Amino acid sequence: EAARLLIESVLAERRRTLTEMESKALLAAFHIPVTPTMLARSANEAMMLATQLGFPVALKIDSPDIVHKSDVQGVALNIQSGAAARDTFNEMVARVKRLQPLARINGVTVQKMARAQRGRGGREVCVGLVTDEAFGPTIVFGAGGTMIELIADRAMELPPLNQFLSRRLIERARVAETLQQGWQGGPPADLEALERVLLRVSEMVCEFPQLREMDINPLIVDETGAVAVDARIVLQ
Ligand code: ADP
Ligand code: MG
């Protein structure tokens, strides 16, 4: 129900692309784990939200006109103090205004760092939805992170997924090997948590034909679970 209201309010504003915060809210409504994310509209708010969430946090530019935040240095990771959050807010907004003067800026999101990024490596994967001309909604899985375009590791399956199909989808991607064997000597990743995310994405797709594209990139998977740290959803 919360999901339906969110989609309606975005469409009422004549928008098709949900911000990272809105996309994560939709994922959370379907019980997909996301990093707690809040919007700061001023440097002081960034400082207070960071303190509330607990350090370390990540700060990211929030703009309907910016799809790849890293391209405009709109992502700052591992911020360790309120003062650093405040300074980062000011620097980030000034930099983005310089690089993209026409971009509308809502503010900066403050979010918890995914546990895996702080200590030993989790793996970054992507889970997505594309609408294929012939097949319709198609679920995509593969290696994730900012290098995704270079690696081109993508496996696809049509919804609805069941446990068997989601496991097979994971296994068809090349990244499956490092998930099963662990990363850099670490323990194997929690594949059941990853399967649950795929099943819930499939449920979302079946319940909301309004979804045209979805890009959870990255979903960070480690031995303790899976969490979406970035997401973008596009409606029909
Ligand atoms: P972009 O819009 O450039 O894709 P992302 O939000 O995906 O921006 O951030 C870029 C990278 O920063 C991610 O691929 C991930 O490695 C890291 N990252 C982003 N948010 C978090 C977070 N909350 N916790 C840990 N790592 C993060
Ligand atoms: Mg991303």
Side-chain angles (χ1 to χ4, degrees), residues 40-50 82 86 89-90:
R41 294 180 188 275
S42 70
N44 276 334
E45 253 179 48
M47 179 170 71
M48 290 187 289
L49 291 176
R86 190 188 53 205
F89 179 104
N90 287 327

Side-chain angles (χ1 to χ4, degrees), residues 20 35 58 60 67-71 75 77 111-114 117 124 145-146 217-218 220 229-230:
E20 178 184 343
T35 44
K60 303 185 196 174
V67 179
H68 296 292
K69 300 173 290 289
S70 304
D71 291 355
V75 178
L77 303 176
Q111 49 190 274
K112 282 206 85 88
M113 285 294 293
Q117 289 302 91
E124 298 199 346
T146 42
N217 184 22
I220 295 182
V229 309
D230 185 23

Side-chain angles (χ1 to χ4, degrees), residues 197-216:
V197 170
L198 288 167
L199 288 173
R200 284 165 183 168
V201 165
S202 168
E203 281 168 23
M204 249 173 105
V205 174
C206 295
E207 194 161 325
F208 288 111
Q210 303 95 311
L211 302 183
R212 195 182 71 187
E213 281 173 39
M214 170 156 55
D215 196 15
I216 305 176

Side-chain angles (χ1 to χ4, degrees), residues 124-156:
E124 298 199 346
V125 301
C126 75
V127 172
L129 168 76
V130 295
T131 301
D132 181 86
E133 246 180 67
F135 290 106
T138 308
I139 293 172
V140 183
F141 172 74
T146 42
M147 303 284 277
I148 181 172
E149 280 86 11
L150 304 178
I151 303 169
D153 172 31
R154 303 172 102 208
M156 302 201 189

Side-chain angles (χ1 to χ4, degrees), residues 216-234:
I216 305 176
N217 184 22
L219 179 84
I220 295 182
V221 193
D222 69 5
E223 75 279 13
T224 67
V227 62
V229 309
D230 185 23
R232 188 178 63 100
I233 290 175
V234 183

Side-chain angles (χ1 to χ4, degrees), residues 154-174:
R154 303 172 102 208
M156 302 201 189
E157 190 67 74
L158 298 178
L161 296 181
N162 58 23
Q163 213 179 342
F164 172 80
L165 289 171
S166 56
R167 176 56 67 112
R168 203 182 60 175
L169 174 57
I170 295 168
E171 284 167 357
R172 282 214 311 273
R174 276 185 290 156

